Amino acid sequence: MTRKVCEGTAVTDGRPVRRWRQDVVELAALLRTWWTSRHGHAPPDDTDAGTDTDTGSDTGVGSGVSVLWRMRTTVKDQPGSLAALCTALAERRIDILSLQTHPLAVGTVDEFLLRAPGDLDAAEISGSVSRAGGAGTWIERADTHDLVDAPTRVLGLATRTALDRAELPLALRQLLGRCTIRSLPGGDSAAREGVPVEGALEETDTVMRLRAPEGGVITVERPYLPFTPTEFARARALVELDARLGPRVPHGQDVLTLPRGNAITVRRADAGDLDAAKAMHERCSPRTLSLRYHGPMGDADRYLNHLLSPRFGRTLAVQTASGRVVGLGHLLWDGDETEIALIVEDEWQRRGIGGELLRRLVSMAREANCEHVYAVTQSSNTGMVAAMRGLGLPLDYQIEEGTLVITARLDASPVASPLPYDHSSRD
């Protein structure tokens, strides 16, 4: 099978040639020369003034500011290829902050984190790399979060996945960058056809399919940058970890006191709460169910298996002192976007429960590095509109035939508003 790893670079299956010894020797000599010229006894010239090589922040370099870039390029797997690339970068006063290699059957994809003078743009950097032998170069702006080395980042993602099953889609997205992740349930036998137990990386290398632990299929797409076998192996390892650990949800919970004196508990929920959620539906009025599900009331219960599955997002449940579930809040992974949905039993509405759930869901979305969240409701649902406005975030409203979509931008600082509760305890 032929794999196309980067545009204009075709490789075939085979055993990669190891080039490390020669390249390490040449690279070490290059770095010694660079260090001597940079830190010799002679006073630095004016172009070095103001350079900050420790913090990764944008500081003065030459006539501009330093800028962080993430770059990938494919080089020949032969002695001297990496050294030539590093020389070309050094000539443009570009610092290499980190380097990862992704071996292929023929050639190697080298992934760099670079700090470059601010007056260099992406085209100039990639042009220098191309002239030094790099092919299929891809480059984009980076930030200080990218300064964490790859092993540390992967271990952190594995830890989060181990603690919370709902973290797997997020961990895959943070591991692989901008990508679209879709999950198909185990009952979809057509989706599993052609997907071996160990997963599959399609011939275009822009789509990987992984067997989900519960029997379904997880599809990851990244059209703008082909996956490497190394990335596929890392993603498969995270899915295998999730499968071995089985169902799990964090057990933390908050006990809150409502203004009327009622004590409620807010906690994470999963498929184990299915019966309690169905019982809450039975106590809800047709109007409440209609505002939440936008369809026939008989269909409401069938959504719950999907909504409560940690594979598709996170759910918060509001529980009374007697153990009855009276409210649910969902944070749902919808491809590249994130949806928020709420339902509160009629008897417990207008007590601030919806607003509290919404604030917590937005906080969880921020932790997951989501840029936006959106809620779909009806234009007559004044309670949901008020709760979204209470977030103090920039909102966008779109109305079509009575359906209202409210989108909140999470990169803005929220306007503080007093909570309607006393937080009496936290487990």
Side-chain angles (χ1 to χ4, degrees):
M1 180 181 69
T2 300
R3 293 185 177 277
K4 183 181 179 185
V5 176
C6 293
E7 184 176 355
T9 304
V11 298
T12 56
D13 290 338
R15 188 175 183 83
V17 179
R18 299 298 179 187
R19 58 188 169 102
W20 285 103
R21 276 192 169 177
Q22 183 67 25
D23 266 358
V24 167
V25 172
E26 295 178 9
L27 184 57
L30 174 66
L31 292 175
R32 281 196 299 271
T33 302
W34 173 82
W35 182 266
T36 301
S37 65
R38 187 77 178 265
H39 299 273
H41 296 292
D45 59 34
D46 292 338
T47 59
D48 276 338
T51 301
D52 181 353
T53 59
D54 295 324
T55 63
S57 59
D58 290 348
T59 56
V61 176
S63 60
V65 295
S66 66
V67 176
L68 295 176
W69 297 93
R70 290 176 57 226
M71 183 186 74
R72 281 192 181 190
T73 192
T74 303
V75 297
K76 294 180 180 179
D77 201 350
Q78 63 186 30
S81 58
L82 179 58
L85 195 61
C86 294
T87 300
L89 294 173
E91 289 174 350
R92 302 304 298 263
R93 303 187 60 76
I94 299 172
D95 290 342
I96 300 173
L97 303 180
S98 69
L99 168 65
Q100 295 183 62
T101 61
H102 300 248
L104 305 174
V106 175
T108 298
V109 173
D110 286 334
E111 181 175 355
F112 296 88
L113 179 62
L114 306 172
R115 183 189 284 119
D119 53 6
L120 286 179
D121 60 24
E124 291 176 296
I125 297 173
S126 60
S128 296
V129 169
S130 178
R131 289 188 291 273
T137 301
W138 166 87
I139 185 169
E140 72 171 2
R141 288 288 296 270
D143 58 37
T144 53
H145 294 94
D146 293 305
L147 292 170
V148 179
D149 65 280
T152 301
R153 185 170 69 252
V154 172
L155 285 172
L157 295 176
T159 300
R160 290 173 53 180
T161 301
L163 294 174
D164 185 352
R165 192 171 195 179
E167 286 284 343
L168 179 61
L170 300 176
L172 290 172
R173 184 175 295 176
Q174 292 187 31
L175 176 69
L176 302 170
R178 299 192 314 274
C179 58
T180 300
I181 299 175
R182 297 183 175 88
S183 295
L184 293 176
D188 193 339
S189 58
R192 296 197 306 272
E193 292 181 4
V195 181
V197 175
E198 66 274 12
L201 184 59
E202 291 195 354
E203 190 169 351
T204 60
D205 290 339
T206 59
V207 178
M208 66 171 73
R209 303 186 191 279
L210 303 163
R211 282 288 188 97
E214 67 276 10
V217 173
I218 299 173
T219 301
V220 188
E221 299 181 45
R222 192 178 67 185
Y224 72 96
L225 183 65
F227 296 115
T228 66
T230 299
E231 289 179 308
F232 176 64
R234 291 172 180 171
R236 189 172 59 191
L238 275 179
V239 173
E240 183 178 352
L241 172 66
D242 181 74
R244 287 181 178 274
L245 294 176
R248 59 208 176 278
V249 172
H251 297 296
Q253 59 186 26
D254 286 344
V255 179
L256 312 175
T257 302
L258 298 174
R260 298 185 188 179
N262 306 96
I264 61 169
T265 299
V266 182
R267 61 173 176 80
R268 286 285 299 277
D270 62 6
D273 296 287
L274 181 61
D275 290 339
K278 288 182 177 180
M280 183 191 71
H281 276 176
E282 294 175 359
R283 296 190 299 270
C284 288
S285 67
R287 171 173 169 75
T288 292
L289 293 174
S290 175
L291 289 175
R292 168 61 186 89
Y293 294 105
H294 325 294
M297 296 307 97
D299 293 342
D301 286 350
R302 70 183 179 89
Y303 295 121
L304 288 174
N305 278 318
H306 176 90
L307 294 173
L308 293 172
S309 169
R311 181 64 64 235
F312 301 103
R314 299 175 182 172
T315 297
L316 293 176
V318 176
Q319 185 174 297
T320 66
S322 64
R324 190 169 71 177
V325 171
V326 296
L328 293 172
H330 306 284
L331 189 67
L332 302 169
W333 319 133
D334 181 18
D336 295 328
E337 300 181 334
T338 306
E339 181 182 359
I340 280 180
L342 304 173
I343 183 170
V344 178
E345 187 178 325
D346 295 64
E347 183 182 345
W348 292 82
Q349 293 176 9
R350 289 177 168 73
R351 304 191 191 194
I353 291 177
E356 177 70 11
L357 284 173
L358 199 57
R359 281 187 289 272
R360 290 169 180 264
L361 292 171
V362 166
S363 177
M364 293 164 68
R366 276 202 170 100
E367 292 174 359
N369 296 322
C370 299
E371 296 180 357
H372 302 82
V373 294
Y374 72 91
V376 180
T377 184
Q378 297 178 23
S379 55
S380 60
N381 191 351
T382 56
M384 187 64 175
V385 174
M388 291 292 287
R389 293 182 63 186
L391 294 172
L393 294 171
L395 301 178
D396 174 66
Y397 301 86
Q398 296 183 16
I399 303 178
E400 184 175 349
E401 297 181 356
T403 298
L404 173 63
V405 180
I406 310 174
T407 303
R409 197 179 78 233
L410 303 187
D411 56 357
S413 298
V415 178
S417 58
L419 296 178
Y421 305 117
D422 294 325
H423 291 248
S424 57
S425 68
R426 178 186 291 266
D427 294 337

